[in-house]
Amino acid sequence: MNGIDLLVAGIALPITVLLGLVAHEWAHALVLRLAGIDYDVVYFPDRRDGVLAALASCPWAAVHPRPTGDEPPWQLRTAAMIPFVLAVPALVLATAFPSSHPAVAAVLVGWLACSIPSPQDFSVAFYAHRVLEETAESTTVVTRS
């Protein structure tokens, strides 16, 4: 391993994380679209001035579903946990084409990191029924007024 290999790995990792972040959010959006639930995808929602400030802010991207309250909870739970599916192609490629090149390892690590649902995703998965109940109640209250 030489310096060029490490440089290539150092460039490959952030590019892969960027692509993985987009794939992660689009995976949520795809399931929501298939379920017929409206949503918004927002990149750098708490963006501050400057590139470094934007990179330091969290989250980098978010999908905000807008359920009506009539949906079954499993649809939101599925949308929240779907990024796990992103791990499948990376694991298949890693086992089919094993490599010791640092760039390949960087790409696999970056992609697999993006396949892990965020704490907010787990929160939606565990409490989807509560969100739907609150949404249904607020919609009923607004309609009755």
Side-chain angles (χ1 to χ4, degrees):
M1 176 168 39
N2 59 28
I4 296 294
D5 291 342
L6 292 177
L7 178 66
V8 171
I11 293 170
L13 181 62
I15 291 171
T16 303
V17 170
L18 179 66
L19 295 174
L21 172 70
V22 171
H24 179 110
E25 298 306 329
W26 284 2
H28 291 308
L30 175 66
V31 173
L32 291 171
R33 179 173 293 252
L34 292 174
I37 300 172
D38 289 333
Y39 61 90
D40 292 319
V41 179
V42 181
Y43 294 98
F44 297 109
D46 297 328
R47 186 181 169 124
R48 297 175 184 90
D49 295 330
V51 174
L52 290 178
L55 292 175
S57 66
C58 287
W60 288 349
V63 175
H64 300 290
R66 293 181 312 226
T68 60
D70 297 330
E71 299 87 354
W74 68 266
Q75 290 177 336
L76 287 179
R77 289 185 176 120
T78 302
M81 293 290 105
I82 199 68
F84 274 131
V85 174
L86 296 175
V88 174
L91 294 174
V92 168
L93 288 174
T95 55
F97 305 104
S99 173
S100 60
H101 196 278
V104 174
V107 167
L108 289 174
V109 168
W111 189 261
L112 289 173
C114 292
S115 72
I116 300 170
S118 68
Q120 293 86 356
D121 297 338
F122 281 106
S123 179
V124 169
F126 290 129
Y127 300 110
H129 61 285
R130 290 184 188 173
V131 171
L132 292 172
E133 288 170 2
E134 291 170 4
T135 303
E137 289 173 5
S138 68
T139 305
T140 305
V141 170
V142 170
T143 334
R144 288 184 185 165
S145 310

